Amino acid sequence: MNYKKTILITGGAGFIGNHVVRLFVKKYPEYRVINLDKLTYAGNLANLKDVEDEPNYVFVKADICDFEKILEIFKLYAVTDVIHLAAESHVDRSIKDPFTFAQTNVMGTLSLLQAAKEMWQDDYSSHRFYHVSTDEVYGALDFDDTLFTETTSYDPHSPYSASKAASDHFVRAFHDTYGLNVIISNCSNNYGPYQFPEKLIPLFINNIRHRKPLPVYGKGENVRDWLYVIDHARAIDVVFHKGKAGDTYNIGGFNEWKNIDLIKVMIKTVDKLLGNPEGHSLDLITFVTDRAGHDLRYAIDSRKLKNELGWEPSLQFEEGIEKTVKWYLENQDWLDNVTSGEYEKYYEKMYGK
Ligand code: NAD
Ligand code: TYD
């Protein structure tokens, strides 16, 4: 089959990546999707069982930092476009091991950019390099500050957000210096199916189910702006197809929650679905030492995306959180598998280390 585009999606076995891969494979049979993933602890091919046999889907195990390998893959598949999601993504891990974050998020992005620059030099305008970034590059807001817009200055505080900010700068530099057709989106916190249970929402749902303590950092007063992951994937589709070269788009749900309030909603929803009396699991809330450098508040102004490209979130939060809690309760095997580490051994056997 002659595909219209061959899109290299990096990090497709991760939380957001699997939803993006699924959307592109199913919605665009005229595109070939190459899912390139290193399968770190956060990458899990079980997330993509329902697409693995599709004719327009290919999986390649590779490290984005391995420049020679990336060049080889560009040539082998005649890659026409990139949607880059592969990253180390957990703030707490970045505090313990900043080197891995600089390596993957900065050097890995640079290696992809350089490959794209070499392979597409005949005509940059017809090849898109889409870099998926985070609102955390903008730093932290006070309770009464206005929301982050696309022109808010970068002010990252954690090693994770510093590495993402650096990668965003490299992407823009490749546009300004070489004319690469890049595009960046900065999204708020995502939630939904297939998120690794080290992040707040899946960790707490799992702990409530098993009557384990819920470690709330500090006083639980920090605020995050939550977006259902499939709405993020829909936004990526819109930005990839309609966004302006060299431009940036913020993606968010106008859905701010103080952690402690969100945790109470999760407790209420899990208790309801498990048939427990209301308030049954409130005693699991355990205030613990705050995260170092814990950003107080993130909140995204995504009006540009709505006004220019017509994207809006499709789900109300109440509906999204109920769907999410249900999914984790119904997929206990998935949670047990990723928390036991068994799946890493399985894929090591299949694809090597
Ligand atoms: P994730 O940690 O769930 O998945 C990351 C994926 O990248 C995994 O499949 C992992 O195996 C792969 N990967 C890691 N290092 C790699 C390497 N060196 N080479 C190839 N593959 C590698 O992350 P996520 O939550 O799905 O986030 C995806 C992207 O979206 C990231 O760039 C992140 O910064 C960004 N983002 C995430 C959120 C969020 O709330 N999760 C919000 C905004 C932006
Ligand atoms: P997280 O899901 O790690 O996302 P991020 O740090 O990228 O926003 O955390 C979301 C919020 O929840 C953040 O304010 C930190 C807090 N948090 C806890 O209070 N306890 C936890 O165990 C975790 C993982 C997070």
Side-chain angles (χ1 to χ4, degrees), residues 89-92 136 160 189 195 198-201 203-204 215-217 222-224 226 259 263 291 294-295 298:
S89 67
H90 190 40
V91 174
D92 293 328
E136 305 192 22
Y160 164 64
N189 286 60
Q195 187 168 32
E198 62 185 353
K199 306 274 169 68
L200 180 74
I201 290 186
L203 176 72
F204 278 35
V216 182
Y217 298 160
N222 304 66
V223 172
R224 298 292 183 263
W226 294 94
N259 288 344
I263 290 160
R291 173 187 277 173
H294 195 173
D295 285 338
Y298 305 137

Side-chain angles (χ1 to χ4, degrees), residues 75-222:
K75 285 182 196 151
L76 181 64
Y77 294 103
V79 169
T80 59
D81 299 82
V82 170
I83 303 179
H84 173 37
L85 296 111
E88 287 293 336
S89 67
H90 190 40
V91 174
D92 293 328
R93 284 181 190 256
S94 82
I95 293 168
K96 293 196 187 103
D97 174 20
F99 280 110
T100 305
F101 281 69
Q103 178 66 14
T104 295
N105 298 357
V106 187
M107 295 307 288
T109 301
L110 185 53
S111 131
L112 288 164
L113 284 165
Q114 185 67 14
K117 174 184 161 265
E118 286 188 18
M119 297 306 300
W120 297 342
Q121 52 191 312
D122 284 350
D123 177 19
Y124 287 143
S125 67
S126 59
H127 302 285
R128 173 142 278 182
F129 189 103
Y130 182 163
H131 177 60
V132 175
S133 191
T134 165
D135 60 355
E136 305 192 22
V137 297
Y138 296 125
L141 295 168
D142 222 322
F143 290 124
D144 53 2
D145 284 341
T146 53
L147 313 189
F148 297 132
T149 70
E150 288 80 0
T151 55
T152 302
S153 302
Y154 275 31
D155 183 21
H157 299 140
S158 73
Y160 164 64
S161 53
S163 68
K164 290 297 289 186
S167 67
D168 291 10
H169 290 318
F170 270 107
V171 173
R172 290 202 181 90
F174 270 64
H175 172 264
D176 297 347
T177 308
Y178 309 110
L180 219 63
N181 169 0
V182 308
I183 203 148
I184 299 179
S185 59
N186 297 85
C187 189
S188 62
N189 286 60
N190 284 214
Y191 71 98
Y194 299 113
Q195 187 168 32
F196 195 83
E198 62 185 353
K199 306 274 169 68
L200 180 74
I201 290 186
L203 176 72
F204 278 35
I205 295 171
N206 201 28
N207 283 10
I208 299 167
R209 177 176 204 148
H210 292 103
R211 296 248 351 119
K212 286 190 187 158
L214 307 175
V216 182
Y217 298 160
K219 295 187 179 138
E221 283 185 334
N222 304 66

Side-chain angles (χ1 to χ4, degrees), residues 211 264 267-272 276-285:
R211 296 248 351 119
K264 287 180 182 160
I267 289 176
K268 197 170 168 187
T269 314
V270 177
D271 278 340
K272 184 181 87 182
N276 295 329
E278 189 164 341
H280 175 72
S281 301
L282 282 169
D283 62 329
L284 298 176
I285 292 178

Side-chain angles (χ1 to χ4, degrees), residues 224-245:
R224 298 292 183 263
D225 177 358
W226 294 94
L227 180 70
Y228 193 60
V229 62
I230 292 173
D231 276 329
H232 187 188
R234 286 177 48 250
I236 289 173
D237 178 15
V238 170
V239 172
F240 176 77
H241 286 100
K242 300 207 249 166
K244 228 171 66 218

